[in-house]
Amino acid sequence: MQARRAARELAFILFSQFDKKITSYSKENLDDIILKSVRILSSSANDDLKVSLGALLDMKNKIDDYEAEHEINLNRPLDAANISVPLPMTADLKARIDEMIEVAEKALLALEIAEFTTLESQNEVQNYAITIAQNYQAHHEEIDDMIKKYSTGWDFDRLVKMDKDILRIAITELLYIKETPMKVVVDEALELAKKYSTDDSATFINGVLAKVIVDNGIQ
C-alpha cells in the first residue's frame, strides 16, 4: 500500500472521531486521535477476520454435511470414510467466497494502515494525515461552503457525514496541499466512498469534486 493512500484512510477515520469544532483541536489532540484511530482499525480488522473465519468454517461444515448425506456415502459401510462427491452448483459457493475475500481484504488493508502508522520509518502516513486535518482546520469554512455550493439540491446538514468527510479530505488536498495529482485525489475519494459510504455516494462525490476542479482551474 502506498503511504499517501494509507494516510487518506487514516485521515478519514481521524475526521470521524471529531466530536467538537475542528479548530479546537491541537496538534497533540490530533496525535491522540490518530492513536485511537489505529486502535479502531486494528480492532475492526480483528473482528473482520473472525467473521471471515466463521464463514469459512460454516462453509466447510456445509460441504462436509453435503458429502456425508450424498447417496454415494449413505450406501457405504458405517466405518468407511466418505468419498468426495460432485457439487451440483458452484454459484452459491463463489458468492460466499467473494464475500469472504472482500472481508479479508478490508481486514488486511486496516492492518497495513495500522502498521504504516506505527513504524518509525513510515511517519509520512501519520504526518500527512495530520497535514490534511490541519489544512482543513485552517480552511474549514471555505471548504464547507464549497460543499454546500456544489451539492445542488441537497441540504448540507442532512448529507451523510462520511460523504462530507471524504469531500473535505479531497478538497483540502486539491486546493490547499496540492502535492498529489488531481486524478489520484479523485480516484482515492471514490474508493473511500465505495468502501465506507452508501451506494450512491461515489456518484455524488464525483459530481461535487468535478465542479470544484472546473471552477478552480485545477489540472
Side-chain angles (χ1 to χ4, degrees):
M1 167 184 282
Q2 294 180 347
R4 288 290 171 85
R5 183 178 180 188
R8 290 182 190 95
E9 291 242 7
L10 191 59
F12 175 73
I13 297 168
L14 173 64
F15 276 46
S16 74
Q17 302 302 302
F18 293 147
D19 58 3
K20 53 188 176 182
K21 191 172 181 180
I22 184 71
T23 52
S24 61
Y25 288 91
S26 66
K27 172 66 164 57
E28 290 72 24
N29 294 147
L30 295 175
D31 286 334
D32 288 343
I33 299 174
I34 287 281
L35 178 59
K36 291 177 183 176
S37 298
V38 171
R39 288 173 177 164
I40 289 170
L41 278 171
S42 299
S43 176
S44 175
N46 185 54
D47 291 342
D48 284 342
L49 288 173
K50 286 179 181 178
V51 169
S52 184
L53 177 60
L56 281 170
L57 292 172
D58 181 56
M59 183 181 293
K60 184 179 185 301
N61 289 335
K62 287 183 178 179
I63 292 173
D64 287 342
D65 290 344
Y66 178 81
E67 182 182 78
E69 293 169 5
H70 195 278
E71 60 181 357
I72 292 175
N73 288 310
L74 287 176
N75 293 326
R76 289 170 63 77
L78 290 176
D79 59 345
N82 288 332
I83 62 173
S84 298
V85 299
L87 291 170
M89 294 292 290
T90 58
D92 182 55
L93 284 178
K94 285 182 179 179
R96 295 294 300 277
I97 290 171
D98 284 343
E99 289 176 10
M100 288 183 284
I101 290 172
E102 183 178 352
V103 169
E105 286 177 343
K106 287 174 63 178
L108 288 171
L109 178 62
L111 291 173
E112 282 186 51
I113 295 170
E115 182 181 14
F116 260 114
T117 309
T118 54
L119 288 175
E120 185 67 28
S121 61
Q122 296 292 349
N123 272 346
E124 180 185 351
V125 174
Q126 181 169 339
N127 291 341
Y128 194 69
I130 291 177
T131 294
I132 292 172
Q134 289 178 323
N135 273 274
Y136 176 68
Q137 281 182 316
H139 304 283
H140 66 282
E141 291 181 352
E142 301 99 303
I143 292 170
D144 282 0
D145 283 344
M146 284 186 197
I147 297 173
K148 293 174 187 176
K149 176 181 177 181
Y150 298 125
S151 301
T152 308
W154 293 83
D155 181 347
F156 179 82
D157 293 329
R158 299 183 66 181
L159 287 176
V160 176
K161 185 179 187 298
M162 291 178 288
D163 292 354
K164 287 193 282 191
D165 286 343
I166 292 169
L167 285 168
R168 286 162 173 161
I169 291 167
I171 294 171
T172 298
E173 284 197 271
L174 289 170
L175 296 182
Y176 302 106
I177 300 178
K178 302 179 181 180
E179 294 181 8
T180 304
M182 173 265 292
K183 187 178 185 306
V184 174
V185 173
V186 174
D187 287 348
E188 293 285 325
L190 298 181
E191 285 300 315
L192 284 174
K194 291 173 185 175
K195 180 176 179 180
Y196 290 107
S197 200
T198 66
D199 293 339
D200 297 328
S201 293
T203 301
F204 167 70
I205 287 170
N206 189 51
V208 173
L209 291 179
K211 294 172 185 176
V212 171
I213 290 165
V214 171
D215 282 6
N216 289 277
I218 299 171
Q219 298 181 351

Coordinates of all heavy atoms in Angstrom, one line a residue, residues 5 20 25 29 61 65-67 79 91 98 113 120 122 136 139 141 153 163 214:
R5 N -2.0 6.8 0.3 CA -3.3 6.1 0.4 C -3.7 5.7 1.8 O -4.8 5.9 2.3 CB -3.3 4.9 -0.5 CG -4.7 4.2 -0.6 CD -4.7 3.0 -1.5 NE -6.0 2.4 -1.5 CZ -6.3 1.3 -2.1 NH1 -5.3 0.6 -2.8 NH2 -7.5 0.8 -2.1
K20 N -16.1 17.8 18.4 CA -16.3 19.2 18.7 C -15.8 20.0 17.5 O -15.3 19.5 16.5 CB -15.5 19.6 20.0 CG -14.1 19.2 20.0 CD -13.5 19.5 21.4 CE -12.0 19.0 21.4 NZ -11.4 19.2 22.7
Y25 N -9.0 21.6 18.1 CA -8.1 20.5 18.2 C -6.6 21.0 18.0 O -6.3 21.6 17.0 CB -8.4 19.4 17.3 CG -9.6 18.6 17.6 CD1 -10.8 19.0 17.0 CD2 -9.6 17.5 18.4 CE1 -12.0 18.3 17.3 CE2 -10.8 16.8 18.7 CZ -11.9 17.2 18.1 OH -13.1 16.5 18.4
N29 N -3.9 16.9 20.3 CA -5.2 16.2 20.2 C -5.2 15.3 19.0 O -5.7 14.2 19.1 CB -6.3 17.3 20.1 CG -6.5 18.1 21.3 OD1 -6.8 19.3 21.2 ND2 -6.2 17.5 22.5
N61 N -18.4 -26.9 7.0 CA -19.3 -27.8 7.7 C -20.5 -28.2 6.7 O -20.9 -29.3 6.6 CB -19.9 -27.1 8.9 CG -19.0 -27.1 10.0 OD1 -18.0 -27.9 10.1 ND2 -19.1 -26.1 10.9
D65 N -21.3 -31.9 5.4 CA -22.7 -32.4 5.6 C -23.2 -32.9 4.2 O -23.8 -34.0 4.1 CB -23.6 -31.4 6.2 CG -23.3 -31.1 7.6 OD1 -22.6 -31.9 8.3 OD2 -23.8 -30.1 8.1
Y66 N -23.0 -32.1 3.2 CA -23.5 -32.4 1.9 C -22.8 -33.8 1.4 O -23.5 -34.6 0.9 CB -23.2 -31.3 0.9 CG -23.6 -31.6 -0.5 CD1 -24.9 -31.5 -0.9 CD2 -22.7 -32.1 -1.5 CE1 -25.3 -31.8 -2.2 CE2 -23.1 -32.4 -2.8 CZ -24.4 -32.2 -3.1 OH -24.8 -32.6 -4.4
E67 N -21.5 -33.9 1.7 CA -20.8 -35.1 1.3 C -21.3 -36.3 2.0 O -21.5 -37.3 1.4 CB -19.3 -34.9 1.6 CG -18.4 -36.0 1.1 CD -16.9 -35.7 1.5 OE1 -16.6 -35.9 2.7 OE2 -16.2 -35.4 0.6
D79 N -18.3 -47.7 8.9 CA -16.9 -47.4 9.3 C -16.0 -47.0 8.1 O -14.8 -46.7 8.3 CB -16.3 -48.7 9.9 CG -16.3 -49.9 9.0 OD1 -17.0 -49.8 8.0 OD2 -15.6 -50.9 9.3
A91 N -22.4 -21.6 -8.1 CA -22.7 -20.1 -7.9 C -22.7 -19.7 -6.5 O -22.2 -18.7 -6.1 CB -24.0 -19.8 -8.6
D98 N -16.5 -14.9 -2.5 CA -16.3 -13.5 -2.8 C -16.5 -12.6 -1.6 O -15.8 -11.6 -1.4 CB -17.2 -13.1 -3.9 CG -16.8 -13.6 -5.3 OD1 -15.6 -14.0 -5.4 OD2 -17.6 -13.6 -6.2
I113 N -2.6 -0.2 7.3 CA -2.6 1.2 7.7 C -2.1 1.3 9.1 O -1.3 2.2 9.4 CB -4.0 1.7 7.6 CG1 -4.5 1.7 6.1 CG2 -4.1 3.1 8.2 CD1 -6.0 2.0 6.0
E120 N 8.3 3.6 12.7 CA 9.0 4.9 12.8 C 9.4 5.4 11.4 O 9.4 6.6 11.1 CB 10.3 4.7 13.7 CG 11.1 6.0 13.9 CD 10.3 7.0 14.8 OE1 9.4 6.5 15.6 OE2 10.5 8.2 14.6
Q122 N 7.8 5.0 8.8 CA 6.7 5.4 7.9 C 5.9 6.5 8.5 O 4.7 6.6 8.4 CB 5.8 4.1 7.8 CG 6.4 3.0 7.1 CD 6.7 3.3 5.6 OE1 6.2 4.2 5.1 NE2 7.4 2.4 5.0
Y136 N -7.4 21.5 6.8 CA -8.9 21.6 6.9 C -9.3 22.5 8.0 O -10.2 23.4 7.9 CB -9.6 20.3 7.0 CG -11.1 20.4 7.2 CD1 -11.9 20.9 6.1 CD2 -11.7 20.2 8.4 CE1 -13.2 21.0 6.3 CE2 -13.0 20.3 8.6 CZ -13.8 20.8 7.5 OH -15.2 20.9 7.7
H139 N -9.0 26.1 6.8 CA -9.8 26.5 5.7 C -11.2 25.8 5.8 O -11.9 25.7 4.7 CB -9.2 26.1 4.4 CG -7.8 26.7 4.2 ND1 -7.6 28.0 3.9 CD2 -6.6 26.1 4.3 CE1 -6.3 28.3 3.8 NE2 -5.6 27.1 4.1
E141 N -14.2 26.7 6.8 CA -15.3 27.4 6.4 C -15.4 27.5 4.9 O -16.5 27.3 4.3 CB -15.3 28.8 7.0 CG -15.5 28.9 8.5 CD -15.5 30.3 9.1 OE1 -15.1 31.2 8.3 OE2 -15.7 30.4 10.3
G153 N -29.3 20.8 -4.7 CA -30.5 20.1 -4.3 C -30.4 19.3 -3.1 O -31.3 18.5 -2.7
D163 N -19.8 11.2 3.7 CA -19.6 11.8 2.4 C -19.0 13.2 2.6 O -18.1 13.6 1.8 CB -21.0 12.0 1.7 CG -21.5 10.6 1.2 OD1 -20.8 9.6 1.4 OD2 -22.7 10.6 0.7
V214 N -13.3 22.1 -11.9 CA -13.5 23.1 -13.1 C -13.5 24.5 -12.6 O -12.8 25.4 -13.2 CB -14.9 22.7 -13.7 CG1 -15.3 23.8 -14.8 CG2 -14.8 21.4 -14.4

